[in-house]
Amino acid sequence: MAEATVPKSQLDYEQTLMYGKYTKELGDYARVEAEKLRAQRERRREKERMRGFLKYKEESRWQRCKSYMIWCRNVVFAKIGEDWIFLLLLGVSMALLSFAVDFTIAKCQKAHYWLYMELSQYPLLQYLAWVLFPVIFISFSAGFTHIVSANAIGSGIPEMKTILRGVVLKEYLSFRTLIAKII
């Protein structure tokens, strides 16, 4: 019965007087077989990836670009890992966001100073412009934050400490809160 399923020559089985014995270690044999199965699985995955990559080969430029980007994503995530890529994207997006906020603040400060200098002949209007310009921005920012996301009120440090301890705060890490924090 066993002879029909596994040939004796494959396992180097020798029939002895009583029970028989193997001339190869079963552990080594299992290791080699597992390596063969892994290699087959990897070849199959690579073939599927390439099939997905080549699916749009005869299509438009956009489809070819899209298929290339999908292929790159699959290769990067499969070979390198995901965590550091997301951290890299998070760092780059936060740097760009910070640059945009700083650029906008610099433009607003230039406008504030320009308005102040234009009203140099009228000291009362100059004072009002100097005081009301920031007050208007502060009022708009507070109202916008209150309307869009009340979770964005405050510094956010205690909330972040709470999140890092494992407590789930609903709607705190949402896109609306991010926009309200930016404004």
Side-chain angles (χ1 to χ4, degrees):
M1 188 95 171
E3 292 177 19
T5 58
V6 179
K8 291 180 182 178
S9 62
Q10 186 178 5
L11 298 176
D12 290 337
Y13 184 78
E14 277 183 18
Q15 185 67 37
T16 61
L17 219 61
M18 198 103 170
Y19 299 109
K21 68 176 184 175
Y22 292 100
T23 58
K24 284 187 176 178
E25 286 292 321
L26 284 178
D28 294 336
Y29 175 75
R31 205 172 298 117
V32 168
E33 286 299 313
E35 188 60 40
K36 286 180 188 175
L37 289 174
R38 257 188 243 114
Q40 279 180 342
R41 196 176 325 129
E42 187 60 37
R43 281 193 301 270
R44 197 175 313 124
R45 282 184 189 160
E46 189 63 34
K47 193 181 291 184
E48 288 174 10
R49 280 189 206 129
M50 289 308 290
R51 190 178 316 131
F53 175 64
L54 296 173
K55 183 167 57 172
Y56 300 113
K57 199 69 169 171
E58 302 300 322
E59 298 288 329
S60 67
R61 277 190 181 156
W62 166 248
Q63 293 295 335
R64 281 185 283 170
C65 181
K66 181 180 175 184
S67 67
Y68 181 71
M69 290 174 66
I70 290 170
W71 181 78
C72 286
R73 181 195 66 191
N74 290 341
V75 167
V76 167
F77 285 167
K79 303 280 185 205
I80 300 172
E82 300 173 357
D83 295 343
W84 74 272
I85 294 172
F86 291 125
L87 292 175
L88 175 77
L89 291 175
L90 180 67
V92 168
S93 62
M94 287 299 109
L96 292 173
L97 196 60
S98 176
F99 176 76
V101 168
D102 288 345
F103 184 76
T104 306
I105 289 171
K107 290 293 182 184
C108 288
Q109 283 179 335
K110 284 183 181 179
H112 186 213
Y113 186 71
W114 175 82
L115 183 62
Y116 181 79
M117 295 311 283
E118 286 295 316
L119 297 172
S120 61
Q121 297 173 351
Y122 309 101
L124 182 62
L125 288 177
Q126 197 175 21
Y127 172 76
L128 286 175
W130 189 256
V131 172
L132 287 180
F133 197 83
V135 168
I136 291 170
F137 275 121
I138 291 169
S139 300
F140 172 75
S141 176
F144 184 83
T145 302
H146 186 70
I147 290 170
V148 172
S149 177
N151 291 329
I153 297 173
S155 70
I157 294 171
E159 289 86 354
M160 288 308 296
K161 283 183 172 180
T162 304
I163 289 171
L164 290 173
R165 287 190 180 143
V167 178
V168 177
L169 298 178
K170 288 188 175 185
E171 301 280 328
Y172 187 73
L173 297 175
S174 67
F175 186 70
R176 293 176 67 178
T177 306
L178 175 68
I179 297 299
K181 284 278 190 190
I182 290 171
I183 298 295

